[in-house]
Amino acid sequence: MKTLMLTGFEPFLGMPINPTERIVTSLDGETIGAYQIKSVLLPVDFEKAPVALLEAFQEINPDAVVSLGLAAGRDAITPERIAINIRDGAPDNSGVVLEDAPINQEGQAGYFSKLPIRKIVNTLKQNGFPANISNSAGTYLCNNVMYTMLHHIEKENLQIPAGFIHVPSSHDLVVEGKKRMPSWSQRDLEEAIKIALQCLDEE
Ligand code: PCA
């Protein structure tokens, strides 16, 4: 059986929950389509996250990589089209603030997702879940992790699907975090991610 490395993030920016942590915890060890899921939880830390990501990749030696992140404020599941070579924006969980900083001096300006993003969006919609392609993963940790993985795959000339999917807030996060934003049930988020992962089957 093939292995799919599924990454999620710990909570960040003072939010009490990250729904992607719960998704990856719940799906760890499950079989989805042709893949067995191996989950990895990443820190929201510019220094530690890329190291943890690549260490897990070496250890697991997966046949596919899908990374998940919370996009608080979005109302749909959004596979990302591209990762860009920039770190910028809000402080990470260690308080580090970066401005206009490249991720990798030798890396390309950007890397396109190697997931079937159009098929994921279409399949999710056919199953009644709002979804659209996002053309920007931002410049924070999610973009950083997507860029790091795709750069590594390019450098090593690996032929495996890899990319990033942002998810909306969960109801629990809205209730506990006391912030107004669009939200989904945790169950729907998980179901939608399972459907997205099944799209890798014939890739
Ligand atoms: N979302 C953030 C980082 C961690 C997460 O879940 C982002 O979109 O960059």
Side-chain angles (χ1 to χ4, degrees):
M1 170 151 320
K2 295 197 276 186
T3 305
L4 187 150
M5 179 168 126
L6 182 68
T7 77
F9 278 108
E10 64 183 8
F12 62 106
L13 288 176
M15 288 183 271
I17 290 171
N18 191 328
T20 67
E21 174 172 5
R22 295 186 173 180
I23 296 171
V24 303
T25 303
S26 157
L27 295 185
D28 190 29
E30 275 204 30
T31 300
I32 299 178
Y35 294 95
Q36 184 173 43
I37 308 299
K38 281 264 189 191
S39 293
V40 178
L41 187 66
L42 297 173
V44 177
D45 184 303
F46 282 114
E47 199 183 312
K48 293 186 191 139
V51 176
L53 176 79
L54 293 178
E55 274 178 11
F57 184 83
Q58 300 299 357
E59 190 187 311
I60 295 170
N61 191 23
D63 303 289
V65 184
V66 176
S67 293
L68 305 176
L70 165 68
R74 287 194 192 165
D75 57 9
I77 301 287
T78 47
E80 296 294 341
R81 194 190 298 275
I82 189 166
I84 61 173
N85 195 2
I86 278 291
R87 296 172 295 174
D88 188 287
D92 70 9
N93 283 354
S94 299
V96 171
V97 181
L98 294 168
E99 195 175 61
D100 306 331
I103 294 169
N104 190 304
Q105 298 286 358
E106 284 95 50
Q108 293 177 18
Y111 293 103
F112 284 117
S113 176
K114 290 162 73 72
L115 297 179
I117 55 173
R118 182 66 62 190
K119 180 179 170 193
I120 290 172
V121 164
N122 290 344
T123 309
L124 282 168
K125 288 202 247 179
Q126 279 156 17
N127 282 274
F129 289 112
N132 42 70
I133 291 175
S134 162
N135 292 312
S136 173
T139 53
Y140 194 50
L141 263 298
C142 291
N143 174 69
N144 193 342
V145 158
M146 181 180 177
Y147 185 95
T148 301
M149 197 68 256
L150 291 170
H151 173 71
H152 182 77
I153 284 170
E154 177 88 8
K155 196 170 58 131
E156 302 292 320
N157 199 18
L158 304 172
Q159 305 301 322
I160 63 171
F164 200 96
I165 304 175
H166 263 121
V167 308
S169 172
S170 61
H171 297 330
D172 303 330
L173 174 54
V174 169
V175 171
E176 291 183 36
K178 303 186 182 71
K179 275 223 176 91
R180 293 182 65 176
M181 55 188 160
S183 61
W184 287 29
S185 71
Q186 187 67 36
R187 199 169 2 142
D188 277 357
L189 289 175
E190 192 176 312
E191 184 58 28
I193 292 306
K194 280 189 189 173
I195 290 169
L197 298 182
Q198 273 160 14
C199 292
L200 272 70
D201 253 7
E202 303 98 55
E203 300 302 311

